[in-house]
Amino acid sequence: MSGEAILVVGSGPSGVHFAATLLEKGYRVRMLDVGNARPEPIEPELSLDGLKRELPDPRGFFLGDDWEALVLNDSAGEYYGFPPGKQYVFTPAEPLGIRTQGFEPLFSHAAGGLAEAWTGGSYPFDDRDLADWMIDCDALAPYYGRVAERIGISGAVDDDLAQHFPVHAGIQPALELDRHSALLLERYAGVRDRWQRANARLGRSRVATLSQPLHGRQACHRSGRCQWGCPTDAFYTPSVTLRECRENERFEYLPDHYVTHLALTGSGAAAAAVARRQDGSEVRFEANRVVLAAGTLPSARIVLESIARSGDPAPELVGLMDNRQVLMPFVNLRLLGRPFDSESYQYHQLALGFDPGGARDYVHGLITTLTTALVHPVVQALPFSMRTSLGMFRNIHAALALLNLNFADDRRPENRVGLEPVGDGSHRMVIAYQPASDEAARMKRSLKSLRRLLLSLGCVAPPPMTRARPMGASVHYAGTFPMCEEGGDYTTDRDGRLRAFGNVWLADGSSFPSLPAKNLTFTLMANATRIAEEAF
Amino acid sequence: MRRGEVWFAAQGSSLSQAGSIVSLHAMSLQPMGGNRGLGGRLFITGASGYVGRQVVATASAAALPMALLVRAPASLPPELRAAVDQGGVEIISGELCDAAPWQARVQPGDVVLHLAAATGKATAREHTRINVEGTRSLAQAAAAGGAAHFVLVSSIATRFPDQTHYPYAHAKSEAERCVREGPLPFTIVRPTLVVGPNAPVLQGFALLAGLPITPVFGDGQRRIQPIDVNDLAAALVALCAEPPAGETLELGGPERVTIDAWMHRIRGARGAGTARLLHLPLVPIRSLLAFLEPLLLPVLPLTAGQLATFANDGVAEPSAFMNSRAGTLHPLDISLTPPVAERLPPTPFDAPLLGDECRALCQHLIGAPPSDAMLAGYLEHHRRFPVGPFTRFENELIAFARRSAFASALADAYSVRFLPNGLLRRKLVLLLALLETDPELFPSVDAPDAGGGAIALMRLMGRGATEVGLTALAVLWLGPRHLLSGRGGDE
């Protein structure tokens, strides 16, 4: 089934799994991408402490040559200094202009997309999550399984939390627990009735990290370097699948191609993708079928720019969604004054589901046991002098953990993506977002209950340290071209085909009609696989 | 939160280009017709004050000719100096209460905008001298010079039913009477609470709202209607261009809120959560302050009279004039958003001095000197990213910390409470980041103390107690210096 190549824009989780599926079906695929490459891991055999001791310039590695991971007291409050080794994911900044209100979006030009900096949470949506969708859990399940078999997902299928996550193929045994997570789970066993009465459950995370070797990749060997870039690919990122695709002779990967718009025919179909290169030249790629998988916001920009360049006024897209994230640090009193183990898996090993009952109320939480994160952003957040804070931190380091809560979102008309002219004939993207009017109240209710539940595990979450991240920070963007049975030009059908153009498919989060609290990345991969399988 | 952005959001604007607040207001003034209604100049008193500076900026943007009566022309605020440099502004040197030297400078047709007033902790005698006698003297001089219109900026406090221990309100009432009974056509304006960037009244409230527990005098149910300084200035300039109203206009902002809600909003605008309010009995506190004022007025944080805000509704009577301006008023949350702080210039790079600083701070942090790699990193960061402090006191604090590890401990304890975003703490954070990535010293930020469990808990409590002691000592030692060099770090 070779013939004409299908044009895919973007190499993020949607793009690579769409491409991989088409390749499996025998298609030829041409992928256009900016494609900043991940740096080669250094000294893969060294542990995190080993890097500190052995590297000639550990400061440069951990804080960055330009000190970009240094979080000073007068910069925005985050608990993580972003690792310099992952800066390539976010630089350079979006070259075309952008103006925002109430939204702080992130963009990536990395080969592998924003998910090069994800934390691996892989949670299938259940029927309740998919209530507004044109597909149900049974329809997606085979694709979750297919993706899991490609990338390797580890986790439990029989604990309390598993009821929120449909079981699919390809799940490896859960990773070995670090001491803190093991203690939390042990304590939970004693209070699980209380948790269940509050409609809350704690269990193992499902993560895209290998507990067993897969397709030539090693299992996790707990070097403690997760945040700094897994040196062995035990932790999955989309660049792994991109690499596999590139081994296929029917796959043509064209980096240094930033797609600005689609050239449209007189009847409004896409005739070609037009890409800009670093040297300023513009290249046109003719195609009968174009698949946009550049990510929700870049794909929206491409569609809007295509319309604007065709001479019609670009519409304003409504319904942009993102998960509100709240970071709730807590201290496990049983681990006060204990040493910590830096050689352990660093991302979340436990997750919690809190379900107060409303349609959009399910809250999804990830518990990270913060052992090898940079210390200085956390120490300065303690409300004491630096010396006292450091002294306290040394004794609570092993006891510290972070609950990262994700709240669901839905499409609302006030959340918009548009274009505006900037004078020289070009446009910039304009994004406006307002939280739902009941968001604050919903969050407050949930946070109060969750603090109590943490307390039942012997953990204290000081309220002043809980922080809501700005909208846009979770990078779970979706909803600009929602899938629906019948809709206007700027909606898609069940297979992600954009009604306005007819021969353009949106394989990323653009077509999600709602955004559950669970991290969307695994569903991006599964849905892209489904579209490739069913529509091509 | 950026002021311009939220303004547009609050206006329900579509996705149009955001502009600056000042330019918006200059635009909103244009329909008033520039100096169409002004027969002469704007003769302004109190131009150096908080409202006065904004009035001059607004009038200057509308190219209105102005004469400013100022006490010390040599030390004009930069904003006024800029307006003077633009031209069309005459500076008249003189004292309000001594009109003889400048009386002849009032020109026929001038519109006198009288903003000068004694406020805050002035004595009752000062209130009378400046607010009553000064107004009378100005009104007489203005009449003698042939001014066309006298606009008195009074206060909403003049109609507070409860003016106990409040000489300012009494004096302003008397000033209003002088103007009403005076020879000139007049307009009297009573603004409500004036807010906006660096508003003096807001700094006081922000200090209260920033505390872990916010004291509120009284039941917190009195209502206020704060007006943004930009809106007030635009309204005053517009009124000066209108014929004399011959009446009293009350100018308030777009929202009426209770004192309790006001405290929550101030905290919210500063990114903090809901305030925890502690209602304190108003009457005994006012009585106590009134009792102490004769002796301790200069050092009291507030006066008995100022508490009148907590005892009275401070909302404006609606008027056709304010109704016509409703669409141009700043939303309250915008007015409450603090301006982005600006740093002073950095001190020149001085490696030996920074080396001493690094050693003192490191000795304080971990009880050991820095490694060579840390020292090099400390210098490199200062060389590549020179930044200045927000206030001059921060330089003093850093110089103090440099003296010894103990001085560093005091400065550290002080800065976390009173200058958390300041330069000293920035240096400590940098040092910590260098420590945790140092090949030799990184375990010093990781390893717990020996013992664990209950012992660790006791150690934590011990650290807390030490912190309390150090903080107390730091407040006693460094607090007075900080106060003398500029209150609360907002110079």
Side-chain angles (χ1 to χ4, degrees):
Chain A
M1 185 164 315
S2 46
E4 180 223 357
I6 307 292
L7 197 62
V8 177
V9 179
S11 67
S14 310
V16 295
H17 286 276
F18 187 91
T21 309
L22 286 190
L23 293 172
E24 284 164 14
K25 291 179 75 176
Y27 279 88
R28 286 177 52 225
V29 176
R30 170 183 277 172
M31 181 176 279
L32 303 180
D33 195 22
V34 180
N36 294 337
R38 181 171 69 164
E40 283 300 311
I42 58 167
E43 309 287 355
E45 73 290 351
L46 286 180
S47 68
L48 191 90
D49 286 354
L51 288 176
K52 287 182 183 172
R53 287 197 185 92
E54 306 290 333
L55 286 181
D57 178 19
R59 201 265 294 153
F61 178 80
F62 287 103
L63 297 179
D65 292 334
D66 292 320
W67 301 81
E68 57 270 27
L70 176 64
V71 179
L72 288 167
N73 58 325
D74 45 10
S75 50
E78 285 279 3
Y79 288 120
Y80 287 121
F82 195 74
K86 288 188 181 168
Q87 291 290 340
Y88 77 99
V89 178
F90 296 109
T91 51
E94 181 71 7
L96 300 180
I98 182 166
R99 186 166 69 78
T100 64
Q101 286 178 348
F103 204 76
E104 297 179 18
L106 289 167
F107 296 89
S108 175
H109 292 156
L114 283 165
E116 290 297 294
W118 75 325
T119 57
S122 300
Y123 302 96
F125 292 176
D126 59 20
D127 276 335
R128 193 173 131 192
D129 296 325
L130 296 168
D132 296 337
W133 294 46
M134 296 171 70
I135 41 179
D136 60 14
C137 183
D138 287 344
L140 262 183
Y143 303 106
Y144 281 128
R146 199 155 151 190
V147 171
E149 282 168 349
R150 270 185 205 142
I151 72 177
I153 285 175
S154 58
V157 294
D158 54 359
D159 64 8
D160 282 357
L161 192 59
Q163 72 170 66
H164 292 301
F165 314 142
V167 173
H168 51 76
I171 300 178
Q172 298 188 349
L175 297 166
E176 186 180 321
L177 277 175
D178 65 278
R179 183 171 176 226
H180 191 167
S181 300
L183 264 177
L184 288 171
L185 213 48
E186 185 187 302
R187 185 72 184 251
Y188 169 76
V191 293
R192 64 191 286 269
D193 289 348
R194 182 171 168 183
W195 274 58
Q196 292 192 5
R197 279 197 302 277
N199 290 319
R201 287 170 175 81
L202 183 71
R204 296 302 307 264
S205 300
R206 297 254 186 101
V207 289
T209 305
L210 300 180
S211 59
Q212 296 170 344
L214 182 76
H215 309 318
R217 291 159 53 209
Q218 300 173 27
C220 173
H221 69 291
R222 297 182 294 283
S223 68
R225 288 175 56 175
C226 312
Q227 281 192 313
W228 312 93
C230 178
T232 63
D233 279 342
F235 176 77
Y236 173 80
T237 61
S239 58
V240 170
T241 303
L242 179 63
R243 191 175 63 214
E244 289 164 0
C245 288
R246 293 180 75 174
E247 289 165 5
N248 189 315
E249 60 183 17
R250 280 178 283 107
F251 184 74
E252 183 185 13
Y253 181 64
L254 298 173
D256 185 19
H257 285 86
Y258 177 85
V259 174
T260 54
H261 65 285
L262 307 176
L264 303 182
T265 65
S267 63
V274 182
R276 183 185 293 176
R277 307 201 62 188
Q278 261 189 352
D279 62 10
S281 61
E282 216 172 63
V283 192
R284 185 181 160 103
F285 295 90
E286 309 293 329
N288 287 324
R289 287 184 282 186
V290 178
V291 179
L292 295 181
T296 294
L297 292 174
S299 290
R301 189 187 50 68
I302 291 169
V303 171
L304 294 175
E305 186 72 30
S306 309
I307 295 163
R309 294 216 186 194
S310 74
D312 291 333
E316 204 170 57
L317 306 174
V318 298
L320 174 67
M321 299 180 284
D322 184 30
N323 293 128
R324 170 73 82 180
Q325 283 189 334
V326 175
L327 303 183
M328 185 188 276
F330 65 87
V331 176
N332 189 334
L333 298 177
R334 289 172 73 188
L335 287 171
L336 285 179
R338 305 287 176 197
F340 72 93
D341 177 13
S342 66
E343 297 188 3
S344 58
Y345 180 68
Q346 290 296 307
Y347 292 136
H348 47 100
Q349 297 223 43
L350 300 181
L352 66 80
F354 176 55
D355 190 4
R360 293 267 174 276
D361 283 357
Y362 174 80
V363 181
H364 189 63
L366 311 169
I367 294 176
T368 304
T369 48
L370 273 185
T371 52
T372 66
L374 282 175
V375 159
H376 72 272
V378 185
V379 173
Q380 64 178 293
L382 299 177
F384 309 107
S385 68
M386 203 63 77
R387 181 188 161 97
T388 304
S389 298
L390 179 58
M392 292 199 166
F393 183 80
R394 287 194 288 109
N395 289 287
I396 62 174
H397 193 167
L400 266 183
L402 182 71
L403 174 57
N404 181 354
L405 293 163
N406 287 259
F407 291 79
D409 200 5
D410 53 10
R411 299 184 66 253
R412 296 184 302 281
E414 59 271 28
N415 299 332
R416 298 161 294 172
V417 180
L419 281 190
E420 66 184 11
V422 288
D424 58 352
S426 59
H427 301 92
R428 66 177 169 189
M429 184 159 55
V430 185
I431 302 170
Y433 187 94
Q434 288 176 31
S437 54
D438 64 342
E439 183 198 61
R442 274 192 297 138
M443 276 170 40
K444 194 173 172 185
R445 274 197 306 275
S446 297
L447 297 181
K448 198 172 165 188
S449 303
L450 287 164
R451 264 195 205 99
R452 270 198 228 113
L453 291 168
L454 283 174
L455 199 58
S456 73
L457 300 180
C459 301
V460 179
M465 297 194 71
T466 299
R467 290 182 188 172
R469 302 182 79 199
M471 290 311 297
S474 84
V475 295
H476 298 163
Y477 314 142
T480 42
F481 301 102
M483 67 168 86
C484 51
E485 289 286 354
E486 289 177 6
D489 280 351
Y490 304 106
T491 60
T492 60
D493 65 13
R494 184 181 188 275
D495 294 331
R497 174 151 49 178
L498 182 64
R499 292 193 163 94
F501 296 164
N503 64 343
V504 172
W505 283 259
L506 287 149
D508 52 28
S510 308
S511 67
F512 284 21
S514 64
L515 187 64
K518 295 169 192 163
N519 320 37
L520 85 174
T521 312
F522 187 39
T523 303
L524 287 176
M525 301 180 202
N527 191 49
T529 301
R530 178 188 69 83
I531 294 172
E533 188 62 48
E534 296 179 2
F536 285 78
Chain B
M1 181 158 57
R2 296 235 316 267
R3 288 170 62 88
E5 288 176 357
V6 187
W7 165 258
F8 270 94
Q11 291 288 301
S13 154
S14 65
L15 299 164
S16 50
Q17 173 74 50
S20 78
I21 295 291
V22 172
S23 64
L24 274 169
H25 275 265
M27 285 161 57
S28 72
L29 189 64
Q30 293 310 311
M32 299 292 171
N35 63 349
R36 191 177 53 196
L38 277 178
R41 305 169 303 174
L42 262 181
F43 188 102
I44 301 174
T45 70
S48 306
Y50 181 64
V51 178
R53 292 196 302 270
Q54 193 57 44
V55 165
V56 171
T58 308
S60 186
L64 300 182
M66 282 178 273
L68 313 181
L69 177 65
V70 295
R71 272 182 301 175
S75 53
L76 281 187
E79 303 96 309
L80 292 196
R81 178 61 59 200
V84 171
D85 292 345
Q86 273 189 10
V89 180
E90 184 188 350
I91 296 292
I92 300 169
S93 173
E95 286 285 340
L96 187 63
C97 298
D98 180 13
W102 52 265
Q103 182 166 333
R105 309 282 290 276
V106 180
Q107 294 176 3
D110 277 358
V111 175
V112 176
L113 177 57
H114 181 31
L115 284 152
T119 56
K121 291 202 278 183
T123 61
R125 182 178 295 178
E126 281 291 284
H127 279 298
T128 305
R129 190 178 72 81
I130 295 171
N131 296 342
V132 183
E133 298 309 323
T135 302
R136 186 174 290 129
S137 152
L138 177 66
Q140 285 166 358
H149 182 182
F150 192 99
V151 180
L152 169 68
V153 179
S154 179
S155 165
I156 198 72
T158 54
R159 69 167 177 80
F160 283 176
D162 179 353
Q163 296 182 353
T164 316
H165 311 300
Y166 204 13
Y168 171 72
H170 300 153
K172 278 291 190 184
S173 298
E174 187 61 18
E176 287 188 8
R177 196 178 60 77
C178 291
V179 172
R180 267 190 221 103
E181 295 174 358
L184 281 177
F186 69 90
T187 304
I188 293 172
V189 178
R190 291 175 181 162
T192 52
L193 215 58
V194 182
V195 293
N198 297 318
V201 72
L202 195 52
Q203 288 178 13
F205 276 109
L207 201 67
L208 292 178
L211 296 172
I213 293 175
T214 300
V216 174
F217 304 101
D219 63 4
Q221 294 308 302
R222 298 310 99 202
R223 293 177 310 153
I224 55 174
Q225 189 182 351
I227 183 166
D228 191 281
V229 67
N230 291 278
D231 299 334
L232 177 59
L236 289 173
V237 174
L239 278 172
C240 288
E242 301 268 319
E247 61 176 4
T248 303
L249 284 170
E250 296 183 352
L251 306 187
E255 275 192 70
R256 296 176 170 194
V257 292
T258 62
I259 295 280
D260 280 356
W262 164 243
M263 291 298 191
H264 293 308
R265 297 281 283 272
I266 292 174
R267 272 179 74 86
R270 281 157 174 72
T274 308
R276 289 184 185 187
L277 304 179
L278 176 66
H279 291 108
L280 302 173
L282 186 58
V283 174
I285 292 173
R286 282 171 98 179
S287 304
L288 179 67
L289 284 170
F291 175 74
L292 295 174
E293 274 172 19
L295 284 175
L296 300 175
L297 186 61
V299 296
L300 289 176
L302 75 176
T303 67
Q306 286 170 324
L307 292 182
T309 303
F310 294 93
N312 296 278
D313 278 341
V315 298
E317 280 292 323
S319 64
F321 174 75
M322 280 315 282
N323 287 345
S324 72
R325 307 189 68 81
T328 68
L329 299 181
H330 285 73
L332 181 57
D333 288 329
I334 298 292
S335 306
L336 297 182
T337 304
V340 176
E342 288 182 11
R343 291 181 180 276
L344 300 173
T347 48
F349 182 80
D350 182 338
L353 206 62
L354 287 169
D356 290 348
E357 186 177 291
C358 181
R359 280 183 281 274
L361 293 179
C362 192
Q363 193 72 37
H364 154 61
L365 265 190
I366 57 166
S371 69
D372 291 345
M374 281 179 66
L375 198 54
Y378 194 79
L379 294 180
E380 188 205 317
H381 192 269
H382 280 80
R383 185 165 30 231
R384 286 187 59 186
F385 306 100
V387 300
F390 292 107
T391 67
R392 284 185 293 279
F393 172 71
E394 291 181 56
N395 281 337
E396 288 178 37
L397 191 67
I398 291 162
F400 175 75
R402 221 178 270 139
R403 288 187 197 172
S404 67
F406 183 68
S408 292
L410 290 183
D412 183 8
Y414 192 81
S415 67
V416 68
R417 295 278 161 266
F418 301 102
L419 296 161
N421 295 324
L423 200 53
L424 177 68
R425 203 158 161 84
R426 182 183 160 102
K427 287 168 185 277
L428 287 163
V429 173
L430 168 65
L431 201 58
L432 186 58
L434 290 166
L435 259 176
E436 68 170 314
T437 55
D438 188 82
E440 302 158 29
L441 294 173
F442 80 85
S444 64
V445 301
D446 283 342
D449 297 322
I455 296 174
L457 203 59
M458 285 172 65
R459 283 179 192 275
L460 288 180
M461 289 167 69
R463 284 200 164 84
T466 310
E467 175 87 355
V468 171
L470 276 175
T471 304
L473 204 54
V475 168
L476 288 175
W477 192 255
L478 297 166
R481 294 196 210 186
H482 192 179
L483 284 173
L484 286 175
S485 72
R487 197 166 60 86
D490 296 314
E491 288 183 57

